[in-house]
Amino acid sequence: GAVVSQHPSRVICKSGTSVKIECRSLDFQATTMFWYRQFPKQSLMLMATSNEGSKATYEQGVEKDKFLINHASLTLSTLTVTSAHPEDSSFYICSAPGQGHTGELFFGEGSRLTVL
Amino acid sequence: SQQGEEDPQALSIQEGENATMNCSYKTSINNLQWYRQNSGRGLVHLILIRSNEREKHSGRLRVTLDTSKKSSSLLITASRAADTASYFCATDDSGGYNKLIFGAGTRLAVHP
């Protein structure tokens, strides 16, 4: 099956710094990737759709200057949380559709961000 | 934004019992999917049911879909302690390829 790798799994940073999270499709190409945010014991909230070679599409209410998304290759999308603040602390998960248009998404293991 | 609600929010059962989780959604859909999430981990796809299907089975899983009521249910039969996880339904609302909107989830605890 398709494998999505996400790194780092945990990151702690100081308020005001920027943090980059990587999402890689290991054995398939992904022209589209999705970034979700999840608060404790809550559902996944779609933040943005990452498109290879073009700008990301952000969901309503998500600050594009705060959450920078780059999809520079067919196997890598990055999410950069800029000037992080404690309220940005959360679990960030990426996903990608597998090849074959089955409809299912393959998820990374998630990245837990803690901003002090 | 979330597509709909799931109930119950939490479910606690004994091993061997069946677990039923329900999901409601708001818009028309192409398909509805169920995912499982172990604590602090990513999501794993369980089963997909298309809008023109009413029931689907996969091992101990049984999913039903009622598009007239905009609802779905996931039944796990003969539950095991290893089934302990959160379960989410997700809908593809036809608005974008593979753009899934997730429900609130049900936290299932299966006790030995």
Side-chain angles (χ1 to χ4, degrees):
Chain A
V3 177
V4 175
S5 173
Q6 196 171 333
H7 177 82
S9 57
R10 292 179 180 272
V11 57
I12 300 172
C13 69
K14 293 182 179 180
S15 188
T17 60
S18 294
V19 174
K20 180 185 284 187
I21 301 169
E22 293 186 347
C23 180
R24 295 180 184 274
S25 56
L26 295 188
D27 51 358
F28 66 104
Q29 294 182 335
T31 56
T32 301
M33 290 186 176
F34 301 96
W35 286 95
Y36 289 86
R37 181 175 182 175
Q38 186 179 32
F39 290 104
K41 297 185 179 181
Q42 294 190 25
S43 185
L44 282 74
M45 182 191 78
L46 180 63
M47 298 176 66
T49 302
S50 174
N51 304 299
E52 188 269 333
S54 64
K55 292 182 179 180
T57 305
Y58 289 82
E59 295 299 304
Q60 191 173 5
V62 178
E63 300 177 59
K64 58 182 66 177
D65 295 332
K66 175 75 170 175
F67 300 100
L68 299 179
I69 291 173
N70 184 276
H71 196 148
S73 78
L74 287 170
T75 59
L76 174 64
S77 174
T78 61
L79 168 68
T80 301
V81 183
T82 63
S83 187
H85 288 94
E87 58 265 31
D88 298 324
S89 298
S90 192
F91 193 57
Y92 294 89
I93 314 176
C94 69
S95 68
Q99 294 182 316
H101 305 288
T102 59
E104 68 180 278
L105 291 182
F106 295 90
F107 282 81
E109 285 294 293
S111 299
R112 183 162 303 284
L113 170 63
T114 302
V115 184
L116 303 177
Chain B
S1 59
Q2 286 180 216
Q3 170 67 289
E5 297 297 320
E6 289 181 60
D7 78 272
Q9 290 186 354
L11 181 60
S12 181
I13 59 174
Q14 297 295 126
E15 265 192 329
E17 295 180 340
N18 295 340
T20 300
M21 290 160 265
N22 303 295
C23 165
S24 62
Y25 57 93
K26 297 175 182 175
T27 64
S28 61
I29 60 172
N30 273 338
N31 63 69
L32 185 143
Q33 303 178 40
W34 285 89
Y35 287 81
R36 167 194 168 126
Q37 182 183 34
N38 285 0
S39 181
R41 306 292 295 275
L43 277 73
V44 175
H45 179 264
L46 294 177
I47 197 165
L48 180 153
I49 186 166
R50 302 201 180 281
S51 59
N52 61 353
E53 296 176 307
R54 292 296 168 259
E55 187 171 313
K56 204 161 184 179
H57 297 253
S58 177
R60 294 185 294 113
L61 306 181
R62 172 177 169 257
V63 168
T64 62
L65 179 64
D66 187 335
T67 53
S68 66
K69 296 180 180 178
K70 291 186 168 56
S71 67
S72 174
S73 68
L74 170 67
L75 168 67
I76 303 175
T77 61
S79 63
R80 304 165 183 169
D83 294 329
T84 295
S86 290
Y87 292 83
F88 296 92
C89 68
T91 52
D92 173 351
D93 67 355
S94 316
Y97 175 62
N98 280 127
K99 180 179 171 180
L100 296 184
I101 306 299
F102 284 81
T106 294
R107 294 191 305 279
L108 173 66
V110 182
H111 302 284

